[in-house]
Amino acid sequence: MKISSHAKINLYLRVKEKRADGFHELDTIFQEIDICDELSWLPGNDPLSLDVKGIAIDNNSENLVLAAAQAFSLATGHKIGGSILLIKKIPVGGGLGGGSSNAAATLNLLNRHFDLPLTQQGLLELALTIGSDVPFFVEGGCQRGRGRGELLEKACVPVDTATQGLLIMPPFGVSTALCFSKWAQTAREPSHHEPQIGENDLFLAACMVEPRLRLIFDELVQQTPTPVFMSGSGSTLVCLTSDNLAPLRKLATQLGCRTTAFRFR
Ligand code: C5P
């Protein structure tokens, strides 16, 4: 069984407050994009194993694919064995939700394989036990997320927003937990206006975690007219435009970043 596992960007991300449970209250728009990992499962009787190809990730045993399979097994009583192959193309630590997407893809794949033992609501609740962004990826598309990111409602891309663009991926990631932990030091007065595409309240925090991000961002802003903004907790920068992307790509490459063109899904 095979399934694609897509990345997301955050069209805006507003952080409201730190909650008593340690998570931050958010208001964001998640947008699924056409960059994806591929996940395939060969069911078998052996304990479940995971093989990762493509972009290297640190520790397979902590991979959210295995966490999702284990959570599904516990929730439904189905024994899950065999081998999973994950072909990784979504950069790790990039704010593109790759790990969360892989977890949601695993849940969707297993639920289909076992003839839907979990309702959609059950899937969403199980997804949240794995991570704040996982519920979004159960259905994907374009959704507004509040709470930790799990209070979801379908959203529409604003009409004047380009639905394609460029991902600019610095040669380093930013840890989500570390980024949120710096947010309080960077927080300003709460904004009362409607969030604008490209706003990201975690940007300054991400630059505290990784000052090289600020240098790259400033160079891009000074040298190109095309606006760029950060996705999620970084480090990926996004440019939404249907203009010629070649000059921006060239500059980003000179700054040591990888670039990939993408479209909304
Ligand atoms: O939920 P997830 O495990 O993906 O989150 C990773 C870390 O990011 C959390 O442990 C928490 O430190 C931070 N986080 C947060 N508020 C959110 C989402 C994540 O503080 N809404």
Side-chain angles (χ1 to χ4, degrees):
M1 288 191 83
K2 259 190 174 178
I3 194 166
S4 298
S5 169
H6 288 86
K8 58 86 179 158
I9 56 172
N10 299 81
L11 294 182
Y12 68 72
L13 195 161
R14 195 167 267 181
V15 182
K16 302 213 150 168
E17 60 185 357
K18 186 171 180 184
R19 312 187 322 190
D21 65 2
F23 286 94
H24 290 76
E25 193 70 19
L26 305 181
D27 181 0
T28 187
I29 290 192
F30 296 107
Q31 173 63 56
E32 188 181 2
I33 61 172
D34 64 353
I35 311 290
C36 67
D37 296 339
E38 299 292 341
L39 205 133
S40 45
W41 176 41
L42 195 60
N45 292 324
D46 295 338
L48 189 67
S49 65
L50 173 69
D51 187 16
V52 184
K53 295 209 156 59
I55 295 175
I57 45 178
D58 284 349
N59 186 349
N60 271 12
S61 65
E62 287 173 13
N63 195 289
L64 293 186
V65 167
L66 293 177
Q70 196 182 15
F72 183 88
S73 178
L74 278 173
T76 62
H78 287 291
K79 193 167 167 283
I80 297 154
S83 56
I84 293 183
L85 172 64
L86 173 63
I87 302 177
K88 204 84 209 126
K89 289 175 274 181
I90 306 172
V92 178
L96 298 172
S100 303
S101 172
N102 295 165
T106 305
L107 294 179
N108 279 334
L109 180 141
L110 292 173
N111 207 38
R112 279 174 214 159
H113 175 84
F114 290 106
D115 283 336
L116 311 182
L118 296 178
T119 61
Q120 199 66 356
Q121 187 55 31
L123 265 183
L124 290 168
E125 283 168 16
L126 193 58
L128 184 62
T129 66
I130 302 162
S132 307
D133 287 357
V134 184
F136 160 72
F137 285 108
V138 169
E139 290 179 26
C142 181
Q143 299 184 59
R144 185 172 185 181
R146 283 180 269 198
R148 276 169 64 187
E150 87 286 18
L151 302 177
L152 294 161
E153 57 188 290
K154 291 249 177 293
C156 287
V157 180
V159 274
D160 56 348
T161 303
T163 58
Q164 57 185 326
L166 192 69
L167 298 181
I168 299 171
M169 295 162 287
F172 48 82
V174 172
S175 145
T176 302
L178 210 50
C179 187
F180 272 105
S181 75
K182 303 278 183 202
W183 169 78
Q185 293 173 51
T186 65
R188 304 199 188 105
E189 287 296 299
S191 312
H192 297 294
H193 64 268
E194 273 298 297
Q196 306 289 305
I197 302 297
E199 261 187 52
N200 187 332
D201 284 349
L202 288 175
F203 178 61
L204 295 177
C207 293
M208 280 181 78
V209 176
E210 189 41 90
R212 287 178 292 172
L213 182 60
R214 176 96 242 179
L215 299 177
I216 291 171
F217 179 83
D218 286 349
E219 280 295 321
L220 292 171
V221 168
Q222 276 165 27
Q223 296 196 37
T224 60
T226 332
V228 290
F229 60 92
M230 190 179 81
S231 175
S233 54
S235 61
T236 300
L237 299 173
V238 181
C239 162
L240 294 179
T241 181
S242 40
D243 295 352
N244 176 15
L245 292 165
L248 185 59
R249 275 192 116 139
K250 189 170 167 211
L251 176 59
T253 308
Q254 284 164 357
L255 295 169
C257 301
R258 288 193 309 116
T259 61
T260 308
F262 72 91
R263 285 177 183 276
F264 290 9
R265 265 174 62 88

